[in-house]
Amino acid sequence: ATAAAFDLSALLLAVVADKTGYPVDMLKLDMDLEGDLGIDSIKRVEIGRNTWRLIQILPGLMKPASG
């Protein structure tokens, strides 16, 4: 059986919102992190690292419980 799919776009926007304090509904995928949001290189690395970690663990968390 395959793990349930997850919305990568929503995940990325949630991580950016968490790391920056911007509300998710204000963020768009086509925004420039530095130019539009003023996010520096250190914060971009944090966003990338957290997104990668979640991508790695989410499939395992989303597996249906065996019963």
Side-chain angles (χ1 to χ4, degrees):
T2 61
F6 60 91
D7 186 344
L8 185 56
S9 297
L11 173 69
L12 181 58
L13 292 174
V15 171
V16 171
D18 179 61
K19 287 295 174 189
T20 63
Y22 287 108
V24 173
D25 60 352
M26 186 192 132
L27 300 171
K28 306 264 186 276
L29 291 173
D30 63 349
M31 294 178 105
D32 182 85
L33 290 176
E34 187 174 3
D36 294 332
L37 301 174
I39 298 173
D40 64 23
S41 60
I42 294 170
K43 189 66 69 178
R44 287 193 304 265
V45 169
E46 290 177 15
I47 290 168
R49 182 181 61 229
N50 285 13
T51 302
W52 180 246
R53 285 180 181 163
L54 287 171
I55 289 170
Q56 290 179 313
I57 65 168
L58 272 178
L61 296 175
M62 296 178 72
K63 288 182 182 172
S66 55

